Amino acid sequence: MLEAKTNDQYRAFQSEIDFCQKEIRKSEDRILELMGESEALDKNVKAAEESLKEEKTQVDAEKREARERTSADQKSAQELVKERGAIVASVSGATYQRYERIRKAKMRRGLAVAEAVDGRCTACNIAMRLQFYQDLKKGDQILACESCQRILYYNPPVAAEDLAADPASAVRQ
Ligand SMILES: [Zn+2]
């Protein structure tokens, strides 16, 4: 202002100062506005961190559970392989080969044995001839379903009073 030599110069300086002060006020308002916004954002970040922590805990627990289940499954798979080996050793070679041939046929989806219930093969649901079903019930030979070729087994029905008395032995009969 002191360097202004004319009124025009003075006014020009004055308007420049006014303009700068206005800009400063605008910037200050914007700073306040941003501070207000960042407060809400900080809250959001904190909430997100919190829920991330919770989720991580949950995922860790699920991972642990999955690992435990996997090791239990592996253990029971090993036991089943062992049990299978014992069963294979106890049947004749011809029977085992017959079983494997049936099992490996794609259309049977690895299922070589089926239960016969009420005169029907439970795998393919075909009704058996009465004579065939009676032969199967005798249990003195290995019979295969005449429709799907699976080896059939028959479990006689268990009386309710036997089940109540001793379920384990009743099922084995
Ligand atoms: Zn069948």
Side-chain angles (χ1 to χ4, degrees):
M1 287 299 210
L2 293 173
E3 283 172 20
K5 295 188 175 69
T6 65
N7 277 344
D8 279 352
Q9 252 180 344
Y10 185 87
R11 269 195 298 276
F13 278 138
Q14 186 59 58
S15 95
E16 205 172 316
I17 289 166
D18 285 349
F19 176 78
C20 286
Q21 280 173 339
K22 236 200 242 156
E23 284 300 304
I24 288 168
R25 267 198 302 278
K26 260 202 258 175
S27 294
E28 283 173 345
D29 286 350
R30 184 74 189 126
I31 287 167
L32 284 175
E33 207 178 299
L34 287 171
M35 275 164 63
E37 280 173 21
S38 84
E39 218 169 287
L41 289 172
D42 279 348
K43 253 188 222 156
N44 284 353
V45 169
K46 247 185 220 126
E49 281 172 346
E50 203 63 40
S51 70
L52 178 68
K53 214 166 94 184
E54 267 173 43
E55 219 165 300
K56 199 173 171 302
T57 310
Q58 200 186 328
V59 168
D60 283 346
E62 279 170 20
K63 275 203 245 172
R64 204 166 40 242
E65 207 179 296
R67 269 196 292 268
E68 279 165 16
R69 211 179 318 146
T70 301
S71 88
D73 286 350
Q74 281 169 341
K75 212 178 134 202
S76 64
Q78 276 168 7
E79 277 164 17
L80 287 171
V81 167
K82 220 172 109 187
E83 197 182 323
R84 187 186 197 276
I87 293 168
V88 169
S90 75
V91 300
S92 74
T95 301
Y96 176 61
Q97 276 163 20
R98 183 174 168 188
Y99 166 84
E100 280 295 293
R101 211 172 37 245
I102 297 166
R103 189 175 71 83
K104 280 175 183 157
K106 237 189 204 120
M107 53 171 282
R108 297 188 195 105
R109 301 183 310 272
L111 189 68
V113 178
E115 184 173 10
V117 176
D118 293 334
R120 283 181 184 276
C121 165
T122 54
C124 70
N125 212 28
I126 227 82
M128 295 163 205
R129 292 179 293 110
L130 192 62
Q131 183 58 50
F132 183 90
Y133 192 44
Q134 275 161 2
D135 289 344
L136 179 70
K137 279 177 166 181
K138 272 188 238 157
D140 53 5
Q141 56 181 322
I142 294 172
L143 290 174
C145 171
E146 291 175 309
S147 169
C148 72
Q149 315 302 323
R150 290 189 179 91
I151 295 168
L152 290 167
Y153 66 95
Y154 172 76
N155 275 332
V158 177
E161 50 268 33
D162 291 345
L163 262 179
D166 185 357
S169 77
V171 169
R172 269 201 304 274
Q173 277 174 7

